[in-house]
Amino acid sequence: MKKYVIDLQVRSVEQLSPKHVLLKLTDDHPLPEMLPGQFVEVRVDHSPTTFLRRPISINFVDKANNELWLLVAMIGDGTRQLGCLHAGDVLNCVLPLGNTFTMPSARQERVLLVGGGVGMAPMLFMGGEMHRMGCEPTFLLGGRTHTDLLELDIFNRFGRVCVTTEDGSMGEKGFVTNHSVLNEHFDRICTCGPKPMMMAVARYAKQNNIDCEVSLENMMACGLGACLCCVEKTTEGNLCVCKEGPVFNVNRLLWQI
């Protein structure tokens, strides 16, 4: 897909939790085509400690309103600066980057979308696209506590939502791999989140002979495969996650699962 460098306008900044903001970006022209699993590299202005762009998963594309949504976890100086943006500001973005999740081949295919922490972000876009094509996904979302579970009202529009929290403040207590929904049959699993969580999900998928795709969150700097910061060891050798991924079938990864 063609890549673009665009100055997008900030339409709104929504504080979803003490450490998360939702940026809704737009443009005077129709936004480029974007697909579930892809990401954006954003330039962080006015931050003397941030020299490189920050990779952020595409949370959702609202085509009716010509909006790109980015869910930002304010962790370091760069992402905290993004959280200080206001409506009317401009954010320079390189997009769309990376490959995509595999869409269902049939409406009756049962797909489980597993998101942990900010890894929930691309699951919303994937679920929305599945819903648009007539498929109903099952979401399995996990966090440490209930304030980590974001955008649940929108997730519920697209499919069944199952949640876990480590402290039991919402849904079933424990990790996503402890949830009772895993007693059901699924044809495929897509997941994004902390690497230990994804490895546990991949292990479950392998034990149950389920096809599984993971979206890796390796440190990415350029987003184009030039800087080699995000290399992952695979069955095909070392690959740049930003260019060959971020989505990989787990059978391509050298994970001990």
Side-chain angles (χ1 to χ4, degrees):
M1 295 176 66
K2 185 176 179 180
K3 298 173 178 59
Y4 299 83
V5 182
I6 312 175
D7 282 331
L8 295 179
Q9 305 157 20
V10 178
R11 178 165 286 174
S12 66
V13 182
E14 301 177 17
Q15 190 87 35
L16 301 187
S17 82
K19 60 182 179 180
H20 296 92
V21 294
L22 177 63
L23 303 181
K24 293 186 177 181
L25 311 175
T26 190
D27 193 35
D28 294 333
H29 305 286
L31 292 170
E33 180 186 6
M34 291 170 270
L35 299 172
Q38 292 184 309
F39 67 98
V40 177
E41 287 272 0
V42 301
R43 190 179 69 206
V44 181
D45 297 324
H46 313 300
S47 175
T49 62
T50 307
F51 304 102
L52 301 173
R53 290 178 180 265
R54 289 295 181 263
I56 302 178
S57 297
I58 296 173
N59 180 217
F60 192 68
V61 177
D62 184 344
K63 295 181 181 178
N65 293 306
N66 198 41
E67 289 180 348
L68 164 64
W69 297 8
L70 301 179
L71 180 62
V72 180
M74 297 179 291
I75 299 172
D77 290 343
T79 48
R80 281 195 292 269
Q81 187 65 42
L82 293 176
C84 294
L85 292 170
H86 298 91
D89 288 342
V90 171
L91 188 63
N92 184 268
C93 300
V94 182
L95 59 92
L97 297 171
N99 65 352
T100 68
F101 288 110
T102 303
M103 296 302 293
S105 57
R107 290 185 177 183
Q108 63 270 25
E109 186 174 347
R110 299 201 65 198
V111 181
L112 180 66
L113 304 181
V114 185
V118 77
M120 291 184 287
M123 299 296 103
L124 183 66
F125 189 18
M126 178 66 171
E129 289 300 287
M130 287 182 58
H131 179 78
R132 189 174 62 83
M133 64 182 290
C135 300
E136 182 177 349
T138 296
F139 298 103
L140 176 54
L141 310 175
R144 289 188 176 89
T145 186
H146 69 283
T147 55
D148 294 329
L149 299 171
L150 311 171
E151 303 179 297
L152 293 183
D153 56 333
I154 308 174
F155 277 107
N156 275 295
R157 298 178 196 171
F158 301 140
R160 179 173 55 140
V161 178
C162 305
V163 301
T164 67
T165 49
E166 294 178 28
D167 64 1
S169 56
M170 182 179 289
E172 296 186 15
K173 184 175 182 179
F175 302 115
V176 290
T177 47
N178 304 131
H179 199 283
S180 58
V181 74
L182 296 181
N183 294 322
E184 301 178 16
H185 167 75
F186 292 97
D187 299 306
R188 189 152 51 86
I189 298 175
C190 300
T191 184
C192 183
K195 186 173 181 180
M197 184 209 79
M198 290 193 292
M199 293 184 72
V201 171
R203 190 178 305 114
Y204 163 83
K206 182 176 181 180
Q207 292 169 350
N208 290 274
N209 197 30
I210 303 172
D211 194 52
C212 182
E213 290 181 335
V214 298
S215 179
L216 300 185
E217 295 184 323
N218 295 31
M219 181 65 70
M220 303 180 200
C222 71
L224 301 171
C227 68
L228 305 181
C229 287
C230 61
V231 166
E232 179 77 18
K233 294 181 179 180
T234 75
T235 57
E236 303 151 49
N238 292 338
L239 297 179
C240 289
V241 169
C242 67
K243 185 177 180 181
E244 303 299 332
V247 179
F248 290 86
N249 188 291
V250 293
N251 293 327
R252 298 177 66 194
L253 301 176
L254 300 181
W255 286 1
Q256 298 299 317
I257 58 175

